Amino acid sequence: MLDRLPVEIVERIVAKIPDTDLIAASKVDRVWWQEVRREAYKRWKNYATTIGYVRALGKPFEKGNVDWITFEDVNDFYKRWIDRLTEDQLYIMEKMLRNGMVVDPQERETIEHALSEHRWGGDPWGVV
């Protein structure tokens, strides 16, 4: 039944699927695969953009010109936020890679490097 839905409906459904279940939806048929791939790229880009914004928000606190207690609180929150966004982004990237959704060799290399960095406890984006 799912393989007979109009593309517009599939787009709406896919947009609502959580990250953890997104790639599984690509198994329905080719239309779903394409929509899931498009949505996964969109989420990947959104995570990257959000990480950039969060990084910019943290810049004033890197200078050390704030109260120490405030700095500690903000810095801890900042690091946890960046870590969570990074984990979510890497999850999407890894699932895309493992399910053949990444065809560009440079993107493939970027994902493999980021996953390797993260597994070894590094920061794949050099943010924190």
Side-chain angles (χ1 to χ4, degrees), residues 17-106:
I17 298 174
D19 290 353
T20 53
D21 300 327
L22 183 64
I23 302 302
S26 70
K27 308 296 187 221
V28 174
D29 69 3
R30 185 74 181 156
V31 171
W32 280 75
W33 188 90
Q34 289 172 337
E35 279 307 311
V36 166
R37 182 172 184 260
R38 188 191 58 74
E39 180 67 22
Y41 267 109
K42 183 173 132 185
R43 292 182 190 186
W44 176 1
K45 181 181 175 186
N46 287 342
Y47 281 124
T49 303
T50 305
I51 288 169
Y53 289 145
V54 172
R55 188 173 184 191
L57 287 173
K59 284 287 184 199
F61 297 101
E62 293 175 0
K63 306 258 187 280
N65 60 355
V66 293
D67 181 13
W68 182 252
I69 294 171
T70 304
F71 174 77
E72 285 295 317
D73 292 341
V74 170
N75 195 42
D76 289 345
F77 175 75
Y78 171 73
K79 284 184 179 181
R80 284 194 311 271
W81 194 7
I82 290 287
D83 288 345
R84 181 62 198 183
L85 290 169
T86 299
E87 287 173 15
D88 290 348
Q89 183 184 31
L90 289 173
Y91 179 83
I92 291 282
M93 293 165 65
E94 181 176 26
K95 292 295 183 178
M96 289 176 67
L97 182 68
R98 303 290 177 247
N99 286 279
M101 295 182 177
V102 179
V103 293
D104 180 34
Q106 188 172 0

